[in-house]
Amino acid sequence: MARPGSACPPPARRVMVAARALLFWALVYSYCGVCACIAGLRLLWSIGRRPGETFRWVVRENPPACLNDPSLGTHCYVRIKDSGLRFHYVAAGERGKPLMLLLHGFPEFWYSWRHQLREFKSEYRVVALDLRGYGETDAPPHKENYKLDCLIADIKDILESLGYNKCVLIGHDWGGMIAWLVAICYPEMVTKLIVVNFPHPSVFTEYILRHPSQLIKSGYYFFFQMPWFPEFMFTLNDFKVLKSLFTSQATGIGRKGCRLTAEDIEAYLYVFSQPGALTGPMNHYRTIFSCLPLQHHEVIMPTLLLWGERDAFMEVEMAEITRIYVKNHFRLTILSEASHWLQQDQPDIVNKLIWTFLKEETKRKRE
């Protein structure tokens, strides 16, 4: 029942809103079905070619040495009071220095920031987090626990639990989505924002609906809406999909990039081969459509957007459009020979660009 004095929307408007919602969810579930059919055909093809190898799944019992490399920092844990979840992170640099908080993407974990942990610990307390559901961080069982407002609150609570009230916030891929939203919701906590290969969320949601090519590249958003089947597909052929994402010519780190070593690959396989390790990460995507459309909020702090032009999942046109949502100093750098995995692909260049941005902003403030 409407409140006294409130105006009810005209019937035509209500019908239009309902029709748009119906079309939106029809698109979501139709594309989800298409992705499921394609995945099913790939499964049958794999069974036909190598039936003995298709269902091989090796759980790595022991972590490779690189995950305990002391040059990367110290493994730490913090329990958040409100949610009760325990988060794992790796920290480098002295306590008390300005905080640099790093948020990884999918399918990654804290280790994707290994080059930045070594680089910035001289002047920052660098913290590379395992997001909710990833790695050694707790993974709530229900997908409702992975809504965007929960993920945003995690970063705020972790910041406070670490004894800080502000930080330099850096995010890649899905971690970039979270970083944008934290900067929007808690601008007082973010002194500088750095995002790698993810546009402003409003740009992404508008662009994907208007450009079929990006819709296809983002097909995994729809595929992950199904329960258990996406996790199952990732385990086939001993996580062939996971390996291919980082090493194939189409999606992996390029020829001129810093290729992952065999030990690096084993680090990823160690984390994601554990039973249930993929459900939490995929649950991040299983609530995204209920959160749309995202509001057109602006970012008010200095922002650096870094982009690998050879990104197989994100079209570079979104990077330039992002500029209109940043109401402060905005720097965009596109690296022509770099892939989606930019901070691992071109770590020396990325680190130099971040240093330049941080020093540039410090100099600007002094002037």
Side-chain angles (χ1 to χ4, degrees):
M1 180 181 293
R3 296 191 302 273
S6 64
C8 293
R13 180 174 176 79
R14 291 202 301 269
V15 171
M16 184 178 296
V17 170
R20 290 181 63 182
L22 180 62
L23 288 172
F24 175 76
W25 287 108
L27 171 65
V28 170
Y29 287 114
S30 296
Y31 197 24
C32 178
V34 170
C35 293
C37 290
I38 294 172
L41 291 173
R42 288 177 175 171
L43 173 59
L44 293 175
W45 175 258
S46 179
I47 294 174
R49 292 185 62 198
R50 297 180 177 179
E53 290 291 315
T54 297
F55 301 106
R56 188 166 69 93
W57 171 1
V58 178
V59 176
R60 277 66 179 177
E61 299 291 344
N62 300 305
C66 61
L67 293 183
N68 292 308
D69 183 347
S71 72
L72 296 178
T74 304
H75 290 261
C76 306
Y77 302 86
V78 61
R79 188 170 297 278
I80 304 303
K81 292 181 180 179
D82 289 343
S83 67
L85 298 179
R86 190 185 75 156
F87 283 78
H88 168 255
Y89 63 93
V90 172
E94 297 176 8
R95 296 178 185 272
K97 289 183 177 180
L99 179 64
M100 176 181 285
L101 186 59
L102 309 174
L103 310 180
H104 63 79
F106 174 90
E108 297 177 287
F109 63 114
W110 70 266
Y111 188 68
S112 68
W113 297 109
R114 59 196 175 280
H115 302 292
Q116 289 69 44
L117 283 162
R118 293 190 182 101
E119 177 70 22
F120 295 100
K121 64 183 180 181
S122 60
E123 293 191 23
Y124 289 88
R125 175 69 170 173
V126 188
V127 170
L129 189 67
D130 274 344
L131 295 175
R132 176 184 292 223
Y134 281 84
E136 295 184 58
T137 291
D138 287 347
H142 304 295
K143 68 178 184 180
E144 290 76 15
N145 296 122
Y146 295 85
K147 290 184 176 179
L148 287 175
D149 56 352
C150 296
L151 306 179
I152 297 167
D154 283 346
I155 307 308
K156 172 182 177 294
D157 294 340
I158 287 166
L159 197 69
E160 293 173 347
S161 297
L162 294 175
Y164 287 85
N165 55 23
K166 58 185 178 180
C167 69
V168 172
L169 186 60
I170 306 181
H172 169 248
D173 183 67
W174 185 260
M177 161 84 86
I178 298 173
W180 281 113
L181 296 175
V182 170
I184 291 166
C185 296
Y186 300 105
E188 70 283 359
M189 288 190 158
V190 181
T191 57
K192 301 175 185 68
L193 176 65
I194 301 170
V195 179
V196 183
N197 281 75
F198 201 94
H200 187 284
S202 295
V203 173
F204 180 66
T205 54
E206 292 171 0
Y207 189 92
I208 194 173
L209 294 174
R210 296 177 182 177
H211 296 80
S213 56
Q214 181 59 55
L215 189 67
I216 293 171
K217 290 179 179 180
S218 300
Y220 60 97
Y221 277 68
F222 299 85
F223 180 52
F224 290 170
Q225 301 308 306
M226 290 182 290
W228 72 264
F229 188 53
E231 289 94 320
F232 170 71
M233 291 297 296
F234 258 72
T235 66
L236 297 180
N237 296 287
D238 194 28
F239 298 86
K240 181 180 179 180
V241 171
L242 181 65
K243 300 171 192 173
S244 178
L245 282 173
F246 294 106
T247 61
S248 73
Q249 186 173 357
T251 64
I253 292 176
R255 294 179 181 176
K256 296 185 179 180
C258 184
R259 290 182 181 274
L260 299 187
T261 66
E263 192 175 34
D264 292 335
I265 295 294
E266 278 302 308
Y268 279 88
L269 292 174
Y270 168 75
V271 168
F272 290 107
S273 69
Q274 306 306 314
L278 285 162
T279 299
M282 290 185 181
N283 277 342
H284 280 246
Y285 294 86
R286 287 175 173 143
T287 62
I288 184 64
F289 293 112
S290 63
C291 300
L292 300 178
L294 298 172
Q295 297 298 314
H296 293 193
H297 290 302
E298 297 172 344
V299 172
I300 62 172
M301 68 284 301
T303 301
L304 171 65
L305 179 58
L306 301 176
W307 204 280
E309 192 173 30
R310 294 181 61 252
D311 191 326
F313 308 102
M314 294 282 173
E315 295 189 353
V316 69
E317 288 77 11
M318 291 187 287
E320 185 60 42
I321 302 172
T322 291
R323 185 183 302 274
I324 65 176
Y325 289 100
V326 179
K327 302 306 176 183
N328 202 313
H329 174 63
F330 176 77
R331 180 179 292 276
L332 168 64
T333 301
I334 300 172
L335 302 182
S336 60
E337 295 295 329
S339 70
H340 176 75
W341 321 103
L342 186 56
Q343 79 273 23
Q344 299 184 77
D345 189 331
Q346 305 282 354
D348 292 340
I349 297 175
V350 167
N351 291 346
K352 183 178 180 180
L353 290 169
I354 292 174
W355 274 126
T356 299
F357 175 72
L358 296 174
K359 300 293 185 181
E360 176 183 72
E361 283 304 304
T362 302
K363 182 179 179 182
R364 182 179 284 108
K365 284 186 176 182
R366 289 174 179 170
E367 292 175 349

